[in-house]
Amino acid sequence: PGGGRAAMAGEEAAAGAGAGQLGAEGKEPGGGGAEGQQCIFCRIARREEPGTALLPCQYEDLVCFRDIRPGAPHHYLVVPVEHMGNCKTLKSEHIPIVKRMMEVGKSVLQRNNFNDLNDIRMGFHWPPFCSISHLHLHVLAPASQLGFLSRLIYRINSYWFITVSVMHVNFSLGFQLQAENVMSFQHFNCV
């Protein structure tokens, strides 16, 4: 389904337009600033991109929309409304928002009649392999139908794509902050 065409699906439209200096918690100081005005995901979250339809979302601080270059029959992006840096800026206090992002991904799949949660892939592109420096979770399904290039682009726990398990997440084991405050999804096991 055309998924092999995109290196970072839905992202090249705003390459280089991501976040500038980030304050505490990986957010832009002042809740947006000039960089937030240029960030495509910030504009989508503010409903300033009429060509991007937002999907129903159970949390006001998140938005969900279809990826413009899908890597699977179902390919959605879940994005915080407030600008946050990429996944490398995540810290332990961000666990609740990541968990909500995963819940939104699972809900949007189920609302679109995809219920085989054993055949999905959720994850983040790891810098420098993401062209938009605004946190966004890729939700792809069915994972078994990823094309050759999509299997490479969204490769499980590669140097460029960090996956999250949707079935049974144990955050106490999953988020192990390393010295440089990067997130590792080692032992993201079922409970």
Side-chain angles (χ1 to χ4, degrees):
R5 294 175 294 168
M8 257 47 72
E11 298 175 7
E12 68 279 335
Q21 292 290 329
L22 297 178
E25 301 179 8
K27 298 178 183 176
E28 288 184 8
E35 292 85 2
Q37 294 297 322
Q38 295 176 358
C39 174
I40 186 71
F41 288 168
C42 286
R43 291 194 317 263
I44 289 170
R46 291 190 306 260
R47 293 163 172 75
E48 295 173 359
E49 293 291 325
T52 303
L54 296 182
L55 302 171
C57 182
Q58 64 263 41
Y59 297 107
E60 290 182 15
D61 62 339
L62 299 172
V63 294
C64 181
F65 49 93
R66 294 182 185 281
D67 195 292
I68 62 170
R69 295 193 186 215
H74 296 274
H75 188 166
Y76 308 102
L77 298 178
V78 181
V79 177
V81 170
E82 184 172 345
H83 192 96
M84 292 182 67
N86 59 49
C87 63
K88 199 170 182 177
T89 67
L90 293 174
K91 298 178 182 157
S92 58
E93 61 263 22
H94 297 119
I95 291 171
I97 196 163
V98 172
K99 189 172 182 180
R100 288 194 311 274
M101 291 170 79
M102 292 169 51
E103 290 173 20
V104 169
K106 183 172 138 181
S107 294
V108 74
L109 288 171
Q110 291 173 327
R111 277 194 306 275
N112 285 282
N113 299 315
F114 187 84
N115 294 304
D116 183 2
L117 299 180
N118 292 313
D119 195 16
I120 67 173
R121 187 155 306 160
M122 289 189 179
F124 302 96
H125 279 111
W126 192 258
F129 301 101
C130 54
S131 59
I132 297 182
S133 191
H134 183 136
L135 186 67
H136 56 284
L137 176 70
H138 287 268
V139 180
L140 300 107
S144 61
Q145 292 184 24
L146 292 173
F148 174 76
L149 286 178
S150 291
R151 283 195 313 269
L152 180 63
I153 294 165
Y154 304 103
R155 185 175 175 188
I156 296 174
N157 296 329
S158 59
Y159 289 110
W160 52 90
F161 189 73
I162 310 293
T163 59
V164 284
S165 169
V166 97
M167 291 306 297
H168 307 282
V169 178
N170 183 333
F171 278 98
S172 64
L173 292 176
F175 290 91
Q176 296 179 355
L177 296 174
Q178 299 170 347
E180 63 272 15
N181 286 331
V182 296
M183 186 189 312
S184 169
F185 286 91
Q186 298 169 357
H187 302 97
F188 222 95
N189 293 326
C190 300
V191 186

